[in-house]
Amino acid sequence: MQFLYHQDGGESLLTIKEEDFNYLFRVRRLALGDTIKIRNLRDSFLYTYVVEEVQKKHAILSLYQNEQSISTSNLSQKAALSLHLLWAIIEPKIIEKTLPMLNELNVARISFFYAQFSQAQFKPSLERMHKILIQSCQQCGRDTLMNLEVHRSFDDICKLYAPFYAFDFGGEDISCFQHKDTQSTEQSIRIIVGPEGGFSSQEREQFGGILTLNNGTILRSESACVFLASATRLWQSKES
């Protein structure tokens, strides 16, 4: 674990209880005077806390201070190019299994939506996904939470986020793609990924541009997302 998440990280005193308490004091066996790194995943600071008090079911931590200043380190590394995935809803357990990989690859935002070929009975839980992302950040060291949202339809996505690229058949070879920041004033790229059944003909009519993996391989929806996240990191390294 690279750090512990606490929503009140940065406050002078923190109370640690329940799962976090069990992990720190029964698994890692921290004791009085030990230090722990904490992030709130909002301000990109890494805070150092000292164990001040340990009770049966909770502990009190204090923000470490020396004679000069509070010991905090801003270790944020912002990507020059960020990926905003527009991901058609698939089976929630598959989404949840894929989220940590996308988080490690620094995907900035995922907007889930119901495509025409999505199965309406699938109901992703933002609360569950939020917890998964927190656990992933603690393990991989990412200092900000990915933004997640759920929309009702493909049309809603078009109204909010067009123009965007589609990852589909019959487009520009993604291996030759050179990103140009024409979609936003920020260094970001939006790419839409369909469900297992792909996109409908009506949905394809609204694509602004198509990126294609021209190697004869058909990717699953979740594999396509991981591939695009990896490709974005490569584009980023070429631009830097």
Side-chain angles (χ1 to χ4, degrees):
M1 185 177 73
Q2 303 301 310
F3 59 84
L4 178 71
Y5 165 78
H6 196 292
Q7 63 180 4
D8 296 324
E11 298 292 330
S12 58
L13 293 176
L14 294 181
T15 299
I16 302 298
K17 53 187 178 181
E18 298 175 348
E19 292 182 6
D20 290 338
F21 176 80
N22 289 335
Y23 175 73
L24 291 178
F25 296 97
R26 294 176 183 172
V27 177
R28 292 186 57 178
R29 297 187 180 278
L30 293 187
L32 289 175
D34 287 345
T35 60
I36 180 72
K37 302 293 185 181
I38 289 180
R39 288 190 188 274
N40 58 34
L41 296 178
R42 295 190 309 274
D43 61 14
S44 299
F45 282 91
L46 183 64
Y47 297 95
T48 301
Y49 281 82
V50 180
V51 180
E52 294 286 351
E53 179 183 334
V54 181
Q55 300 294 334
K56 288 185 178 181
K57 294 185 178 181
H58 75 276
I60 304 297
L61 310 183
S62 65
L63 188 62
Y64 177 77
Q65 301 184 48
N66 56 27
E67 295 180 355
Q68 297 178 344
S69 62
I70 294 175
S71 178
T72 60
S73 300
N74 189 343
L75 301 180
S76 177
Q77 296 181 351
K78 302 302 180 185
L81 178 64
S82 62
L83 175 61
H84 178 184
L85 272 176
L86 311 173
W87 191 2
I89 290 173
I90 59 174
E91 191 171 355
K93 68 178 182 181
I94 296 177
I95 292 175
E96 293 171 2
K97 185 177 180 180
T98 309
L99 270 181
M101 289 182 280
L102 299 176
N103 190 59
E104 292 167 15
L105 290 167
N106 211 38
V107 171
R109 186 184 192 95
I110 302 179
S111 299
F112 296 100
F113 69 97
Y114 288 91
Q116 289 190 28
F117 294 152
S118 293
Q119 297 188 44
Q121 75 271 21
F122 292 153
K123 306 292 183 184
S125 168
L126 287 175
E127 182 179 359
R128 279 180 54 84
M129 291 190 289
H130 181 78
K131 290 180 180 178
I132 289 169
L133 288 177
I134 288 174
Q135 293 173 354
S136 173
C137 287
Q138 290 179 148
Q139 294 299 321
C140 74
R142 178 169 172 168
D143 60 12
T144 55
L145 273 177
M146 184 193 304
N147 292 311
L148 300 177
E149 58 188 12
V150 178
H151 296 280
R152 295 177 299 176
S153 68
F154 177 84
D155 288 339
D156 287 349
I157 288 293
C158 290
K159 291 175 183 176
L160 287 169
Y161 297 122
F164 49 77
Y165 294 101
F167 190 59
D168 199 23
F169 302 104
E172 177 182 357
D173 191 330
I174 198 168
S175 64
C176 302
F177 176 69
Q178 293 185 348
H179 171 62
K180 296 180 181 179
D181 189 24
T182 59
Q183 298 174 311
S184 170
T185 56
E186 301 177 354
Q187 277 291 92
S188 63
I189 181 171
R190 294 190 183 111
I191 306 179
I192 194 167
V193 176
E196 293 302 333
F199 295 104
S200 70
S201 57
Q202 293 90 344
E203 289 169 336
R204 287 191 174 92
E205 290 175 356
Q206 300 187 61
F207 291 167
I210 299 176
L211 301 178
T212 301
L213 181 61
N214 287 320
N215 67 353
T217 301
I218 299 176
L219 301 181
R220 292 172 297 173
S221 180
E222 67 273 21
S223 300
C225 291
V226 174
F227 171 79
L228 291 171
S230 302
T232 304
R233 298 299 296 269
L234 292 176
W235 296 331
Q236 174 190 336
S237 63
K238 289 180 181 178
E239 291 183 358
S240 61

